[in-house]
Amino acid sequence: MKSIGIGCFNFGISKLVSTDIKVSEHVQNIKSSLEKIPSIGEIEIEFDDRFDDLITVPANNIGLKHNLVIPHIEFLRVEFSLHLPTRIQVSVLDESWAYERSGTEDFRVTLVSSFYGPVTFVESVGSAVKNDPSYSVRIVRAFLEAEFKKLEENVTFEYLGPSPFHANLFLTENTEKKGCAMIECEEIHARGYNDIIFKYDPEKFTSEQEIYEYFISEVDGELGLFYEIVRLKNRQNNAWRQISENVQSLKQVELGGLRWWSFLKKYKQLRNQRDIINELYQFKAENEGVRKQVQEWVDDAYSKQLAVYFEDYVRNNEAKFPSYPIDAISEWLRHNEARSIKYIELSIIFISSLFGGVIGSLLTILLQGRE
């Protein structure tokens, strides 16, 4: 039985790279960086050299931490073994029970680039049946993050939550029936993460490696879609957070009250309100477009019913796409805009009257002086 945890890791481009590089160069940089970590061995990296394109180096080292896959290398596969003694597992997570949950000191990490983005499989090699493979993802993630911070290389280690994916996967031989499908799965519900048992027909495969390759090819598309939805949700949340901060700054001005000496502040507020209203309309259009795109992806993925193992997870992820009070805030801003315009109009009338009175008085004094 193989125990497998799922995550979303990627190897990005560090700030040390200042010019655009080819895919093959970045792949070589990944290999060189991994080779400098003593605990890592058996490194195998594959990609389709027909797509050895030029990668545009991103500004400010953006990547998965900004919910973007940069670079997204088509057909990339990075695989390596990782030996982490118990003391290291305990230290990287600062949890004394680390080994008891991982059940092993040896891991096999496989990163594949699906259509939607990277998906990572962490196998707990030789672990006990009752181990926690999702916990192994945490250990591997924390270790790689710490090691890459020490390296001054052209590659960064990045990850996206949830890493681990909220389920434990087990791959085992189907001993109950012959002539079954190549792989079938059964989900066992638990208080924490559910266990998903994948059972394969041993008569349809020639080796354990072939079974594992087939398993990855069966599930990476669904898992890639799951993480792409996560990235889109995070980007939408970040954009909304910025709009919310701008709205809060307007509220602070409102708390100051309507005083005649606030004329310039109110004028600036009016301009800001109009900018935020434009941002809201842009955000609304983008949000509706993203929702529609996600719905189309999900419907397309499950309309063919080819490989359906994580449909509940993907659809729940889609269903939890956040909604935002766009219309309510737009209405408040328009109401506030009308108040600001009225305030400015009254201020102009007041100032005009004030200056008119002053000028009139001066003229009267001057005329009286001539008499």
Side-chain angles (χ1 to χ4, degrees):
M1 174 181 284
K2 288 183 180 291
S3 303
I4 305 159
I6 303 297
C8 181
F9 302 164
N10 197 38
F11 295 105
I13 300 173
S14 78
K15 294 179 180 178
L16 297 177
V17 181
S18 57
T19 59
D20 296 348
I21 61 173
K22 299 191 75 173
V23 168
S24 55
E25 294 178 77
H26 183 61
V27 168
Q28 183 56 47
N29 289 340
I30 294 173
K31 185 177 182 182
S32 299
S33 298
L34 292 172
E35 287 174 340
K36 292 182 179 179
I37 301 175
S39 300
I40 290 177
E42 301 177 298
I43 302 167
E44 297 179 16
I45 303 181
E46 301 173 358
F47 81 102
D48 193 331
D49 55 14
R50 293 176 302 172
F51 300 96
D52 192 12
D53 302 319
L54 202 63
I55 302 172
T56 301
V57 176
N60 302 321
N61 195 31
I62 59 176
L64 277 185
K65 62 183 177 182
H66 297 90
N67 302 291
L68 298 168
V69 181
I70 300 177
H72 182 191
I73 301 175
E74 295 185 76
F75 306 108
L76 174 69
R77 180 188 179 96
V78 179
E79 191 168 2
F80 55 89
S81 62
L82 183 59
H83 179 71
L84 298 178
T86 303
R87 59 179 177 80
I88 294 180
Q89 295 185 39
V90 170
S91 65
V92 294
L93 290 181
D94 194 23
E95 294 175 359
S96 59
W97 55 84
Y99 177 79
E100 284 73 13
R101 293 190 63 178
S102 69
T104 185
E105 293 186 339
D106 295 296
F107 307 90
R108 188 72 186 171
V109 180
T110 305
L111 183 154
V112 296
S113 181
S114 74
F115 174 79
Y116 295 101
V119 180
T120 305
F121 300 82
V122 176
E123 178 190 354
S124 304
V125 180
S127 63
V129 175
K130 293 296 183 181
N131 77 315
D132 187 348
S134 61
Y135 193 82
S136 297
V137 176
R138 286 188 60 204
I139 294 172
V140 171
R141 183 198 72 200
F143 175 79
L144 291 176
E145 184 178 23
E147 290 300 307
F148 269 83
K149 283 181 179 178
K150 299 175 188 175
L151 298 175
E152 292 187 2
E153 294 293 316
N154 295 330
V155 175
T156 60
F157 172 73
E158 305 168 351
Y159 65 89
L160 176 74
S163 287
F165 182 79
H166 294 173
N168 294 310
L169 278 55
F170 299 93
L171 183 62
T172 187
E173 181 178 327
N174 193 336
T175 58
E176 299 173 358
K177 57 181 179 180
K178 301 296 182 181
C180 61
M182 295 184 76
I183 286 185
E184 297 178 347
C185 81
E186 173 189 5
E187 186 164 4
I188 301 173
H189 294 270
R191 290 184 61 185
Y193 295 168
N194 292 347
D195 292 342
I196 304 179
I197 315 298
F198 289 84
K199 299 179 180 180
Y200 62 87
D201 183 352
E203 296 181 356
K204 295 177 179 176
F205 299 95
T206 58
S207 66
E208 284 195 4
Q209 184 61 28
E210 184 185 2
I211 294 166
Y212 196 46
E213 296 289 337
Y214 181 80
F215 162 75
I216 289 176
S217 68
E218 278 283 278
V219 302
D220 68 345
E222 281 185 280
L223 293 168
L225 174 57
F226 175 89
Y227 280 112
E228 176 63 4
I229 295 173
V230 171
R231 284 189 289 273
L232 289 172
K233 287 199 298 186
N234 289 347
R235 291 208 294 270
Q236 291 287 288
N237 283 334
N238 291 341
W240 181 255
R241 188 177 298 113
Q242 183 60 55
I243 292 174
S244 298
E245 290 174 0
N246 293 339
V247 171
Q248 282 298 121
S249 66
L250 290 179
K251 288 182 178 179
Q252 293 301 317
V253 175
E254 282 297 303
L255 292 175
L258 298 176
R259 299 180 177 88
W260 68 269
W261 57 80
S262 302
F263 174 77
L264 293 177
K265 187 181 290 185
K266 280 293 179 182
Y267 180 72
K268 183 179 179 181
Q269 180 194 28
L270 178 61
R271 289 193 306 172
N272 291 341
Q273 284 173 166
R274 289 173 175 170
D275 290 341
I276 295 174
I277 289 172
N278 287 334
E279 288 178 7
L280 281 167
Y281 282 127
Q282 291 173 7
F283 179 83
K284 183 176 183 178
E286 180 184 344
N287 183 254
E288 290 176 357
V290 168
R291 284 174 174 274
K292 188 174 185 297
Q293 179 66 81
V294 169
Q295 184 179 14
E296 289 176 356
W297 282 341
V298 174
D299 290 344
D300 182 65
Y302 295 111
S303 62
K304 300 169 186 176
Q305 296 290 311
L306 296 178
V308 181
Y309 304 109
F310 299 96
E311 183 173 3
D312 287 345
Y313 292 88
V314 173
R315 289 197 180 277
N316 286 338
N317 196 14
E318 177 199 8
K320 291 178 181 177
F321 216 99
S323 57
Y324 306 94
I326 300 171
D327 293 333
I329 291 181
S330 297
E331 185 177 347
W332 176 79
L333 286 171
R334 283 192 291 268
H335 169 72
N336 210 37
E337 182 183 27
R339 289 182 60 206
S340 296
I341 291 173
K342 188 66 176 176
Y343 173 80
I344 291 171
E345 289 174 349
L346 291 173
S347 298
I348 291 172
I349 292 171
F350 172 76
I351 293 170
S352 299
S353 301
L354 180 64
F355 276 98
V358 170
I359 292 171
S361 299
L362 288 173
L363 287 173
T364 301
I365 293 170
L366 289 172
L367 290 172
Q368 288 176 347
R370 288 184 177 182
E371 293 176 358

